[in-house]
Amino acid sequence: MKTMMIKLAALALTAAMAFAGTAQAGKIEEIRERGTVRIGVSLGGEPIGFRDDKNNPVGYDVDVATQLAQKLGVPVEFTDVSGDARISMLVSGQLDIVVANTSATLERAKSVDFSIPYNRAGLRVIVQKDAGIASLKDLSGKKVVVGRGTTGEGFIKRNIPDAELVYTDTFSPDGVLLLQQKRADAAIEDSSLLDYLATKNDNLLTLPGLYSNDPIGIAVAKGDPEFVRWLDMFVSDYIQSGAYDANYKKWWGEKSNPPALTPLW
């Protein structure tokens, strides 16, 4: 009996040491041992993320994710995610990192950890020029495109409860097509997407003003504060090196004004 207890204790100690070693190794070591980093990006709207004519992921977030993978020293494996899937796939361990235009909100921070902001955007409304919509209150009774599980959906529900919500999981092409075909009167999305869309469509215009000023962070699963610290350092370098300014102007134009970001390091 005593021998059996000693053996069980030894097995338990071995298992505990193995678990501790894995926990101590952390996400960076796990990624490097695997040889790839699994990054979720949202390919639902230009210029944040979309597919080019060869079906390759491209856009502002894709460039950020690519630079992040280069700093980790491994190839990147992209997964197209949107809405609630961005968070659930991180929590379930299907993704290592999400760089998918994700607003760092207090509610989301209950489930995942965020880096410091690598971009900023505010909620904006885009409307049909002939829809007679001049202000937020004019959305009452109108068909408004919203991304499922987004901050825009929550905003419209709170402020214009009688608006008719038209749901989409991917703003581009689905939400854009709804607007182009005049199957919706308006849409609410990040200003970074809508400002770009308005320059490409003569029948659409954005309402003045922003309805939020959201920090856009890199999201990771909870449980590895050292990895979050590393990501903060990556974003700080991204900002201070000039890569942020160059990447922003690459996608929004040389005359654009990148939102001010504050590095930590």
Side-chain angles (χ1 to χ4, degrees):
M1 184 69 176
K2 184 176 181 181
T3 302
M4 179 64 71
M5 291 179 66
I6 292 172
K7 287 182 178 179
L8 288 173
L11 286 171
L13 179 60
T14 302
M17 289 177 66
F19 176 80
T22 302
Q24 186 176 11
K27 178 61 73 171
I28 292 179
E29 287 76 9
E30 176 190 323
I31 289 168
R32 288 175 174 167
E33 287 177 6
R34 187 194 313 128
T36 60
V37 57
R38 304 167 302 173
I39 301 183
V41 292
S42 180
L43 304 178
E46 301 180 39
I48 292 292
F50 58 106
R51 293 189 182 275
D52 63 15
D53 55 6
K54 296 182 180 179
N55 206 38
N56 295 315
V58 292
Y60 175 85
D61 275 0
V62 176
D63 284 353
V64 174
T66 300
Q67 291 179 39
L68 197 162
Q70 289 171 348
K71 295 294 185 181
L72 285 168
V74 295
V76 60
E77 179 184 319
F78 286 121
T79 298
D80 184 9
V81 295
S82 59
D84 294 336
R86 295 175 293 186
I87 305 302
S88 62
M89 291 184 74
L90 270 180
V91 173
S92 64
Q94 297 175 69
L95 295 172
D96 300 310
I97 302 168
V98 163
V99 186
N101 199 36
T102 309
S103 299
T105 65
L106 286 173
E107 185 62 31
R108 285 176 177 155
K110 295 175 183 177
S111 304
V112 297
D113 287 331
F114 286 98
S115 71
I116 63 172
Y118 70 94
N119 197 6
R120 279 189 172 272
L123 289 175
R124 196 188 292 281
V125 172
I126 193 168
V127 303
Q128 304 284 355
K129 284 184 177 179
D130 59 1
I133 301 171
S135 65
L136 193 64
K137 65 180 181 180
D138 294 331
L139 295 179
S140 180
K142 300 291 188 180
K143 293 182 177 180
V144 183
V145 176
V146 298
R148 196 181 308 275
T150 62
T151 51
E153 176 193 2
F155 177 84
I156 293 296
K157 282 183 174 180
R158 290 192 304 272
N159 293 279
I160 314 292
D162 58 348
E164 183 179 343
L165 302 187
V166 181
Y167 284 97
T168 179
D169 289 320
T170 54
F171 183 71
S172 176
D174 297 340
V176 173
L177 189 61
L178 287 168
L179 289 168
Q180 291 174 336
Q181 295 178 344
K182 293 200 170 184
R183 292 160 58 195
D185 303 299
I188 186 166
E189 253 294 352
D190 286 345
S191 57
S192 53
L193 297 176
L194 297 189
D195 289 346
Y196 184 83
L197 178 61
T199 66
K200 304 293 183 181
N201 295 267
D202 293 336
N203 295 325
L204 301 173
L205 61 86
T206 55
L207 296 185
L210 297 178
Y211 300 107
S212 66
N213 185 6
D214 300 326
I216 309 299
I218 297 171
V220 294
K222 286 186 174 295
D224 193 341
E226 290 302 316
F227 189 37
V228 180
R229 182 173 181 268
W230 186 90
L231 289 171
D232 284 343
M233 294 180 72
F234 164 78
V235 176
S236 292
D237 180 70
Y238 173 68
I239 297 168
Q240 295 184 94
S241 68
Y244 165 58
D245 188 74
N247 192 23
Y248 197 94
K249 291 184 176 180
K250 171 184 175 181
W251 292 106
W252 279 275
E254 284 297 323
K255 295 182 179 179
S256 63
N257 294 308
L261 299 180
T262 304
L264 288 181
W265 297 86

